[in-house]
Amino acid sequence: MHILITGGAGFIGSHLVRFCQAKGDDVTVLDNLTTGTLDHLPQSGYTFWESDIRDKAIADRITGGHFDAIVHLAAQTMVDASLRDVSFDADENIMGTLNILEAARKGVVKRVIFASTAAAYGDVTEKDLPIQEDHPLEPTSFYGLSKITVEHYLALYAKLFGLEYVICRFANVYGERQGDKGEGGVVSIFAKRIAQNLPITIHGTGEQTRDFVYAGDIASGIYAALKTPHINDIYNLSTQTEVSINNLVALFNRIAGKKLNPTYTAVREGDIFRSTLSNVKAKEKLQWEPQIQLEEGLRHTFDYFMIEK
C-alpha cells in the first residue's frame, strides 16, 4: 500500500511508520515538526514532507500523491490546551482535518483512518464501564468535542463522496518517544521524571483510572483498520483494563527499584475520573487485540527515558 501518515514524526506515528515499513508498505510522513521530530523516525525507508495539515498547498500535494490510504494522526492532543485556546484546538483538529479530507476526496484516496479518543465519551458511571462504541458521547473538553465533530464529517464524506473511513478511539496510549509537548501522557511524564530522579505530581487523589495501551499495539490496531472489510465504523483500541494512577505509581516503584512519594494537587479542569474502553468489537471485526502487558510496556518506556535523560 501507498500510505500517507499525518503526524508521522510524532509519538504514535513513529511506531506506525516502523510497523508499516515492516509490512513492506510505501510510507510518506507529513509532519510540521511542532511536537514531532525527525529523531523519532527511522534513518531511511520513507518519504518525508514537512508541512502543516492546515496548509492549502499541502492539500494539492496530497491530491497528486495517489495514496491508497491516509492515516490521520496529526492533531492538537491536550485536553487542557483545548480549554485554554478553543479556537486553536478547532483550527488544528477540525479545519486541518477538513483540508486533509478534501485532498483525499480529490485525490481519490480509498480509505482514511482517523485517530479519535476516549475523551469523546466524557465521564461515565461505573455501570457503563467498560465503555462501548455506541455509548452516548458527552465530552468534557473541547478536544473531545473537536474529535467527535470530525467523526461526523467522516460519516458524511462517506455518504456523499464514497470515501471509506475507520475511526479508532484510542484509550490512554503510552510508550517510547512519547513527549510532553502536545502529546504528553501521565506515563511519559512519570517515566521521564523518575529517570531524572525528579518528584512526580498526581492531580487528584490518584484513584482516578485510565486504560493504558502500548503504542506498538495501537500501531497494529491501526494497521488492522487499514486492512479490514468492516469499514465506515468506529472501534475502541484499548486493553479493557482499568488502572488507577496510584497503581501506576506502584508499578513504577517496582520497575525503577525505588520508593516514590508523589505530591497530590487539585484535579485538572476537563479531566475525567474513570475510564476503560471495551475492545470486544475490535477483537471481533478488526481481528485485533493488545499483546503487551502494562508492566512490560512501562519497562520499555522507562528504559527509553533512562537512555534519553
Side-chain angles (χ1 to χ4, degrees), residues 94-242:
I94 299 174
M95 299 310 297
T97 299
L98 292 182
N99 199 37
I100 299 298
L101 293 183
E102 277 297 282
R105 177 178 71 84
K106 294 174 182 177
V108 199
V109 173
K110 184 177 181 182
R111 183 175 301 186
V112 172
I113 311 300
F114 177 61
S116 193
T117 175
Y121 299 112
D123 265 324
V124 303
T125 61
E126 184 175 352
K127 68 180 178 62
D128 293 317
L129 299 175
I131 307 169
Q132 298 181 346
E133 287 86 349
D134 60 358
H135 190 278
L137 304 180
E138 298 179 355
T140 59
S141 68
F142 294 106
Y143 165 65
L145 180 60
S146 65
K147 290 289 190 176
I148 293 169
T149 302
V150 170
E151 292 185 10
H152 289 299
Y153 271 103
L154 283 164
L156 199 53
Y157 265 79
K159 181 178 179 179
L160 297 179
F161 307 127
L163 179 64
E164 295 179 3
Y165 70 87
V166 178
I167 294 165
C168 297
R169 290 183 184 148
F170 300 158
N172 288 79
V173 189
Y174 72 95
E176 303 95 319
R177 299 181 294 279
Q178 188 171 19
D180 52 13
K181 288 199 308 179
E183 51 184 75
V186 65
V187 170
S188 67
I189 293 168
F190 282 6
K192 184 176 182 179
R193 293 187 68 82
I194 294 166
Q196 296 174 345
N197 292 312
L198 295 173
I200 59 174
T201 298
I202 294 175
H203 300 280
T205 64
E207 293 305 311
Q208 62 268 42
T209 63
R210 296 294 182 266
D211 185 334
F212 295 107
V213 59
Y214 181 63
D217 284 329
I218 289 292
S220 68
I222 292 171
Y223 202 81
L226 283 166
K227 295 290 190 177
T228 186
H230 302 290
I231 59 169
N232 301 345
D233 209 345
I234 301 168
Y235 300 94
N236 292 332
L237 297 186
S238 68
T239 64
Q240 198 171 307
T241 303
E242 196 175 3

Side-chain angles (χ1 to χ4, degrees), residues 29 43 64 68 78 91 108 124 131 141 151 178 260 277 305:
V29 171
Q43 292 185 346
D68 298 307
M78 295 182 69
D91 193 32
V108 199
V124 303
I131 307 169
S141 68
E151 292 185 10
Q178 188 171 19
L260 304 171
L277 307 184
F305 282 109

Side-chain angles (χ1 to χ4, degrees), residues 245-262:
I245 304 303
N246 286 333
N247 283 340
L248 181 69
V249 172
L251 285 172
F252 271 122
N253 280 336
R254 185 156 66 235
I255 291 166
K258 61 180 71 173
K259 177 62 177 175
L260 304 171
N261 295 298

Side-chain angles (χ1 to χ4, degrees), residues 53 74 80 84 108 110 144 158 191 200 223 229 244 274 276 281 293:
I53 57 173
D80 56 346
R84 288 195 305 271
V108 199
K110 184 177 181 182
I200 59 174
Y223 202 81
S244 75
R274 293 182 63 181
T276 182
K281 186 175 175 183
Q293 297 296 313

